[in-house]
Amino acid sequence: MQLIQQNPDLSAYLAADGVIDHHHPLVRETAARLAKDVSDSYSYAQAAFEFVRDTIPHSADSGDMRVTWRASDVLEQGTGICHAKAHALTALLRAEGIPTALCYQRLSYDAGTGWCVHGLVAVRFRGAWHRQDPRGNKPGIDAQFSLDGERLAWVPDPESSEVDYPVLFDVPHRAVLDLLRSAPDRPYLWENLPDSLTL
């Protein structure tokens, strides 16, 4: 699949805003702590990925009812669904000058009776974009940081109407962000996630 930048300006994938708030002191402190133990940007990207994947539980796995969406809040509260964790990883990577995009998949759930939009990221290395999924591993899911072939949590099945969206967003998709901001708790969020995206 050919990944497509929504914004042709690569600098947009380094920007901070109210969601990807890599200007926040907690994001900066976390990035600096991760960066001091690595030798280059690739090693930093892998360390940041593994930090978000492994130390911030996916709220559906842990049973946490809280809803986070701002990167600094995800780091502070230590919880989030896939989209929130993608925002946190994006902020950590952009804080160290690594262009990072938000991207999405449409996946089936509830034994194939419904669909939801899943969030992940793409990083730019070696002149190309590489998707990474910091959702968090568990039995049956083994996502790994990789620039040599994708090691994502899921591979969409087109026969089940699952979709890999090729668009790389510089900011979160509005439908996803609006729901994250308005959801009173995770069960509400879980039941109302978009089942597809308008690109």
Side-chain angles (χ1 to χ4, degrees), residues 11-72:
S11 68
Y13 297 90
L14 292 168
D17 60 23
V19 181
I20 312 300
D21 58 342
H22 62 75
H23 45 67
H24 190 281
L26 179 57
V27 178
R28 290 289 182 186
E29 290 164 14
T30 305
R33 187 173 70 250
L34 293 169
K36 73 179 177 59
D37 295 325
V38 297
S39 59
D40 56 31
S41 59
Y42 172 85
S43 299
Y44 173 80
Q46 183 172 4
F49 169 84
E50 291 174 354
F51 173 80
V52 173
R53 183 194 64 189
D54 298 342
T55 69
I56 300 173
H58 189 290
S59 56
D61 295 347
S62 66
D64 198 314
M65 294 294 123
R66 295 173 294 172
V67 175
T68 54
W69 50 269
R70 183 181 290 110
S72 58

Side-chain angles (χ1 to χ4, degrees), residues 48-49 73-74 80 119 176 178 180 192 197-198:
F49 169 84
D73 291 340
V74 176
V176 171
D178 286 348
L180 286 167
N192 291 280
L197 293 181
T198 302

Side-chain angles (χ1 to χ4, degrees), residues 14-160:
L14 292 168
D17 60 23
V19 181
I20 312 300
D21 58 342
H22 62 75
H23 45 67
H24 190 281
L26 179 57
V27 178
R28 290 289 182 186
E29 290 164 14
T30 305
R33 187 173 70 250
L34 293 169
K36 73 179 177 59
D37 295 325
V38 297
S39 59
D40 56 31
S41 59
Y42 172 85
S43 299
Y44 173 80
Q46 183 172 4
F49 169 84
E50 291 174 354
F51 173 80
V52 173
R53 183 194 64 189
D54 298 342
T55 69
I56 300 173
H58 189 290
S59 56
D61 295 347
S62 66
D64 198 314
M65 294 294 123
R66 295 173 294 172
V67 175
T68 54
W69 50 269
R70 183 181 290 110
S72 58
D73 291 340
V74 176
L75 296 177
E76 180 183 15
Q77 297 182 40
T79 189
I81 67 165
C82 58
H83 300 287
K85 293 184 68 167
H87 298 168
L89 179 56
T90 298
L92 289 172
L93 294 171
R94 290 183 183 183
E96 291 294 312
I98 298 170
T100 307
L102 297 156
C103 41
Y104 302 93
Q105 296 173 322
R106 180 186 198 233
L107 301 172
S108 60
Y109 73 106
D110 286 346
T113 61
W115 292 269
C116 68
V117 172
H118 173 61
L120 54 161
V121 307
V123 296
R124 185 141 181 112
F125 277 102
R126 304 175 187 164
W129 290 100
H130 306 271
R131 294 191 304 168
Q132 316 293 331
D133 192 340
R135 178 230 180 268
N137 290 339
K138 61 180 185 176
I141 297 176
D142 183 29
Q144 302 293 328
F145 187 84
S146 175
L147 303 185
D148 300 310
E150 294 185 337
R151 301 276 308 275
L152 305 178
W154 292 286
V155 177
D157 176 13
E159 293 186 7
S160 300

